[in-house]
């Protein structure tokens, strides 16, 4: 177990290094922040001072060397846009995103468990068809449009939800719904597939033969074994939630890493962009590791090597 | 079986309609779609007095929404066909090689796929598109490359499984070369999965492209995209709902059609999993009714 975790952490670090390299060179290609921060015809001396302060006067490869050295020490440089350490900016926005993603994930899993199990139990019947169609529809829904229609109906027409912000619990409803709508569709399909597999297995037939009722079989016997595929797709879905978080930050002005990333791109704030992508990358790598460990606990047949 | 499923027929019909409009009608109406008529600002939908072009209303600059949707269809069709085409064929091929030979090539390719996978797709595309000039071609390149790992992993796993089967062994015993085994023996068996996945990815790519253009990155006028139209209508949600709602509806319909067709393809391959296209086997009533 420990060697497994160790090896995964090392391979995670290599992946992370790749991410850092890619993001560094991509963001250096996006043009210089000088055009953005200085009016046309600014003093050359001023620009030079700015370049020197942020290390932009050296060749790109040299910049990369310095950057890598600092990154190893956890230093991503100072935000050009917010005038504070980039890592600090990224870390201070992350909790909000984690909370949003956790709530959305919990809701998505609960809804998917109910809908997916219903569909599996009533396979090939109307319930199943409706659930399947519904789940296809939710995974065909663009986040941003769902969010806007939500605003149109609940904020503009009915007026019982705010259009933006994050101050009251009401203002969380639409963002959470927006982030969880896609995952609900995908997870429902996964739950349905997994439940169909387990419900047709021998031990379930055995349980039925011993006289257990339908509902009890579903939630006591089948769900446990159906948990595995559900947990293993959760990692991919969590990564996808960052996409939702970006949209939510734009549409609802909702705080979090999405808002920071969009702001960093628009302000050509390299340090913050790099720090945020690395923070997101680390979270996803850790989450995937956690998922593998949980899978091996749920199903001891899986050996971690 | 295809004809007997109204849902699959309707989805296919919608996709065909979108493609036909995009290829044949869109080039004819580009200019008219971008023509601004301030007098017709927020012209309400479902009226025919200004002509069929204005049936779905006009946006904040008096441009006909119907025609913009058609021009936007061209963008979506181009992106969907080419981005999915690039990523599917590249991922399919690399996955075959990687899964067949294994070893260090496999390790490196998998590592690269991991890197692309660790950065959320929208984030990756945002960063890349901010570098490149906004154009349909660049959108295609970005979406084409970022979606490769999806196919690569699938094709690789399948290849590794098929590689061990008896008929591959037989082919090798009969002196077939690696190339021949890969292309003639293994590839045809991996193909159906890739095809189903590609259909699924059509929906995903259309949604990603729309998200990017909604964020204002990736495309500029006179190119039109559905996501861009939603973004234009966002500011006028209170006064003119239709400007943002119609393009979104078209996105949902198109993505849903692709998803349903993908589901249908899977149903053809594995009837046990599908519900939309197969009737339940008839059972005796009392077995079902007994609680």
């Amino acid at each position: 177990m420990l060697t497994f975790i160790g090896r995964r952490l090392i391979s995670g670090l290599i992946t992370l290094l790749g991410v850092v390299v890619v993001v560094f060179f991509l963001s250096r290609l996006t043009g210089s922040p000088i055009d953005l921060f200085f009016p046309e015809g600014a003093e050359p001396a001023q620009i030079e001072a700015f370049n020197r302060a942020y290390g932009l006067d050296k060749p790109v490869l040299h910049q990369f060397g310095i950057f890598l050295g600092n990154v190893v020490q956890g230093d991503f440089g100072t935000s050009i846009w917010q005038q504070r350490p980039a890592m600090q900016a990224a870390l201070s926005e992350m909790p909000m995103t984690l909370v949003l993603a956790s709530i959305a994930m919990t809701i998505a899993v609960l809804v998917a468990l109910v809908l997916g199990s219903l569909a599996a139990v009533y396979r090939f019947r109307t319930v199943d068809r409706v659930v399947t169609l519904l789940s296809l529809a939710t995974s065909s829904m663009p986040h941003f449009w769902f969010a806007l229609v939500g605003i149109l109906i609940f904020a503009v027409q009915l007026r019982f939800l705010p259009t933006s912000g994050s101050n009251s619990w009401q203002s969380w409803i639409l963002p959470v719904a927006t982030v969880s709508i896609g995952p609900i569709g995908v997870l429902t399909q996964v739950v349905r597939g997994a439940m169909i597999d387990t419900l047709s297995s021998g031990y379930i037939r055995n349980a039925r033969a011993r006289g257990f009722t339908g509902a009890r079989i579903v939630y006591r016997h089948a769900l446990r074994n159906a948990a595995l595929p559900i947990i293993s797709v959760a990692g991919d879905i969590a990564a996808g939630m960052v996409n939702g978080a970006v949209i939510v930050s734009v549409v609802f002005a909702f705080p979090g890493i999405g808002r920071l990333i969009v702001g960093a791109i628009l302000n050509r704030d390299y340090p913050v962009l790099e720090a945020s992508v690395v923070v997101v990358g680390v979270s996803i790598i850790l989450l995937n590791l956690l998922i593998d460990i949980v899978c091996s606990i749920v199903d001891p047949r899986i050996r971690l090597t | 079986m295809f004809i007997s499923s109204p849902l699959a027929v309707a989805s296919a019909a919608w996709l065909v309609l979108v493609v036909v409009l995009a290829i044949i009608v869109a080039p004819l109406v580009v200019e008219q779609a971008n023509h601004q008529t301030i007098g017709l600002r927020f012209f309400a939908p479902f009226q025919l007095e200004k002509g069929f072009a204005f049936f779905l209303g006009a946006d904040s600059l008096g441009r006909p929404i119907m025609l913009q949707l058609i021009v936007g269809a061209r963008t979506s069709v181009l992106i969907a066909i080419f981005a999915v085409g690039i990523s599917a064929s590249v991922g399919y091929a690399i996955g075959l090689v990687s899964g067949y030979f294994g070893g260090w090539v496999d390790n490196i390719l998998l590592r690269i796929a991991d890197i692309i996978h660790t950065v959320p797709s929208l984030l990756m595309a945002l960063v890349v598109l901010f570098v490149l000039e906004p154009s349909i071609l660049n959108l295609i390149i970005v979406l084409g490359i970022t979606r490769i790992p999806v196919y690569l992993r699938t094709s690789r796993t399948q290849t590794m499984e098929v590689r061990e089967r008896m008929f591959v062994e037989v082919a090798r015993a009969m002196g077939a070369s690696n190339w021949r085994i890969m292309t003639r023996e293994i590839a045809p068996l991996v193909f159906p999965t890739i095809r189903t996945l590609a259909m699924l990815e059509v929906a995903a790519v259309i949604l990603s492209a729309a998200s990017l253009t909604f964020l204002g990155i990736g495309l500029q006028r006179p190119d039109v995209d559905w996501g861009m139209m939603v973004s234009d209508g966002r500011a006028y949600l209170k006064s003119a709902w239709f400007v943002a709602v119609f393009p979104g509806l078209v996105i949902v319909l198109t993505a849903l059609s692709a998803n349903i067709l993908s589901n249908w393809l899977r149903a053809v391959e594995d009837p046990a999993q599908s519900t939309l296209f197969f009737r339940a086997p008839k059972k005796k009533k009392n077995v079902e009714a007994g609680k």
Side-chain angles (χ1 to χ4, degrees):
Chain A
M1 181 72 138
L2 276 179
T3 45
F4 166 76
I5 294 176
R7 198 174 311 149
R8 279 294 297 270
L9 282 178
I10 290 169
S11 84
L13 273 179
I14 297 171
T15 310
L16 209 56
L17 185 70
V19 171
V20 169
V21 172
V22 171
V23 171
F24 177 85
F25 285 103
L26 279 181
S27 61
R28 284 308 185 272
L29 293 172
T30 59
S32 167
I34 291 166
D35 308 334
L36 208 71
F37 282 89
F38 290 98
E40 240 174 277
E43 294 273 326
Q46 230 178 341
I47 292 178
E48 206 173 304
F50 178 86
N51 274 342
R52 198 167 306 133
Y54 291 99
L56 295 172
D57 55 341
K58 301 189 180 68
V60 173
L61 274 180
H62 191 169
Q63 284 185 36
F64 182 65
I66 298 173
F67 170 75
L68 212 55
N70 290 335
V71 164
V72 173
Q73 299 163 37
D75 176 14
F76 280 82
T78 312
S79 162
I80 301 173
W81 159 47
Q82 296 187 335
Q83 301 298 329
R84 58 174 173 161
M87 203 58 195
Q88 192 192 326
L91 287 178
S92 68
E93 293 282 356
M94 201 57 192
M96 206 62 165
T97 303
L98 287 181
V99 173
L100 179 70
S102 320
I103 298 176
M105 194 58 137
T106 313
I107 291 176
V109 169
L110 289 179
V111 174
L113 280 180
V114 174
L115 290 182
S117 307
L118 272 177
V121 171
Y122 296 103
R123 178 149 71 123
F124 292 138
R125 308 240 224 104
T126 314
V127 181
D128 188 16
R129 279 156 198 266
V130 170
V131 167
T132 302
L133 206 56
L134 214 64
S135 73
L136 286 179
T138 57
S139 40
S140 311
M141 191 90 71
H143 286 119
F144 58 88
W145 190 69
F146 180 83
L148 287 181
V149 171
I151 290 182
L152 187 62
I153 295 173
F154 295 104
V156 176
Q157 297 293 329
L158 302 176
R159 291 169 190 278
F160 56 67
L161 291 177
T163 56
S164 65
S166 62
N167 305 318
S168 57
W169 64 269
Q170 289 101 326
S171 58
W172 281 73
I173 294 178
L174 283 177
V176 166
T178 305
V179 176
S180 50
I181 185 82
I184 286 178
V186 179
L187 276 172
T188 302
Q189 283 302 299
V190 175
V191 172
R192 176 178 176 273
M195 285 299 277
I196 286 176
D197 280 348
T198 32
L199 281 177
S200 56
S201 63
Y203 79 99
I204 293 291
R205 238 176 305 154
N206 180 39
R208 272 194 221 282
R210 284 169 60 195
F212 287 110
T213 57
R216 191 181 159 88
I217 286 176
V218 171
Y219 66 83
R220 284 298 292 274
H221 298 259
L223 261 184
R224 268 184 213 192
N225 272 305
L228 213 55
I230 302 165
I231 297 171
S232 44
V233 292
D236 284 348
I237 288 175
M241 279 193 166
V242 176
N243 296 343
V246 170
I247 297 291
V248 157
S249 75
V250 172
V251 177
F252 298 105
F254 198 83
I257 200 86
R259 186 176 63 173
L260 193 68
I261 288 168
V262 172
I265 289 177
L266 295 180
N267 289 296
R268 296 198 198 290
D269 193 348
Y270 309 143
V272 168
L273 184 62
E274 285 147 7
S276 331
V277 173
V278 168
V279 167
V280 170
V282 169
S283 327
I284 291 172
I285 289 171
L286 287 181
L287 184 77
N288 281 325
L289 177 62
L290 190 71
I291 284 171
D292 282 349
I293 295 172
V294 170
C295 278
S296 81
I297 293 170
V298 173
D299 184 354
R301 282 172 303 181
I302 296 175
R303 295 254 176 280
L304 297 180
T305 47
Chain B
M1 194 195 107
F2 183 77
I3 298 300
S4 68
S5 165
L7 209 53
V9 173
S11 308
W14 172 259
L15 289 185
V16 168
L17 176 72
V18 169
V19 172
V20 166
L21 285 178
I23 293 173
I24 298 171
V25 185
L28 307 174
V29 296
V30 177
E31 242 166 66
Q32 218 188 329
N34 279 303
H35 183 74
Q36 303 175 1
T37 321
I38 297 304
L40 291 176
R41 237 177 145 241
F42 298 131
F43 183 72
F46 309 124
Q47 306 174 53
L48 279 171
E49 57 192 78
K50 293 290 175 212
F52 193 59
F54 287 91
F55 184 65
L56 294 178
D59 69 2
S60 58
L61 293 169
R63 294 172 292 203
I65 289 179
M66 172 92 87
L67 298 186
Q68 289 196 61
L69 284 175
I70 293 174
V71 178
R74 183 174 60 169
T75 313
S76 293
V77 167
L78 280 176
I79 291 174
I81 290 178
F82 287 103
V84 170
I86 291 173
S87 48
S89 42
V90 173
Y92 179 35
I94 298 182
L96 269 174
V97 174
S98 185
Y100 183 74
F101 289 111
W104 61 273
V105 181
D106 185 37
N107 267 322
I108 290 178
L109 286 172
L110 211 59
R111 185 68 63 210
I112 294 174
D114 262 356
I115 292 172
I116 300 184
H117 203 71
T118 305
V119 182
S121 55
L122 183 62
L123 193 49
M124 185 74 112
L126 269 178
V127 175
V128 178
L129 279 176
F130 210 69
V131 182
L132 305 170
E133 293 277 298
S135 75
I136 295 182
L137 181 67
N138 286 335
L139 261 178
I140 290 174
I141 293 173
V142 168
L143 290 171
I145 292 175
T146 50
R147 311 299 293 194
I148 289 177
V150 182
Y151 301 93
L152 200 160
R153 281 156 187 264
T154 316
S155 152
R156 175 180 170 273
T157 327
Q158 283 248 310
T159 306
M160 286 168 77
E161 190 256 313
V162 176
R163 187 183 60 179
E164 304 301 327
R165 292 205 200 155
M166 186 55 88
F167 65 87
V168 175
E169 197 95 348
V170 171
R172 193 169 295 133
M174 289 172 73
S177 63
N178 281 334
W179 171 255
R180 195 191 156 84
I181 292 176
M182 262 197 294
T183 53
R184 294 289 173 80
E185 308 286 339
I186 298 180
L189 281 170
V190 179
F191 183 72
T193 320
I194 297 292
R195 187 186 55 198
T196 311
L197 192 61
M199 204 66 223
L200 206 62
E201 283 284 299
V202 165
V205 163
I206 288 177
L207 291 181
S208 307
S211 298
L212 287 167
T213 53
F214 172 78
L215 291 173
I217 293 171
L219 269 195
Q220 271 174 1
R221 299 269 176 183
D223 284 328
V224 184
D225 183 76
W226 296 331
M228 186 194 238
M229 293 174 68
V230 176
S231 163
D232 285 348
R234 198 185 140 201
Y236 313 106
L237 216 48
K238 275 182 196 163
S239 49
W241 57 271
F242 49 90
V243 183
V245 169
F246 286 148
L249 213 55
V250 173
I251 300 175
V252 175
L253 279 177
T254 312
L256 185 60
S257 301
N259 273 331
I260 288 176
L261 276 188
S262 166
N263 205 288
W264 177 79
L265 279 175
R266 235 176 313 166
V268 176
E269 281 147 25
D270 181 11
Q273 279 286 333
S274 173
T275 178
L276 290 178
F277 307 104
F278 287 98
R279 296 254 162 238
K282 289 252 161 64
K283 284 183 183 174
K284 276 180 188 158
K285 264 277 158 60
N286 55 355
V287 179
E288 286 301 314
K291 262 192 172 178

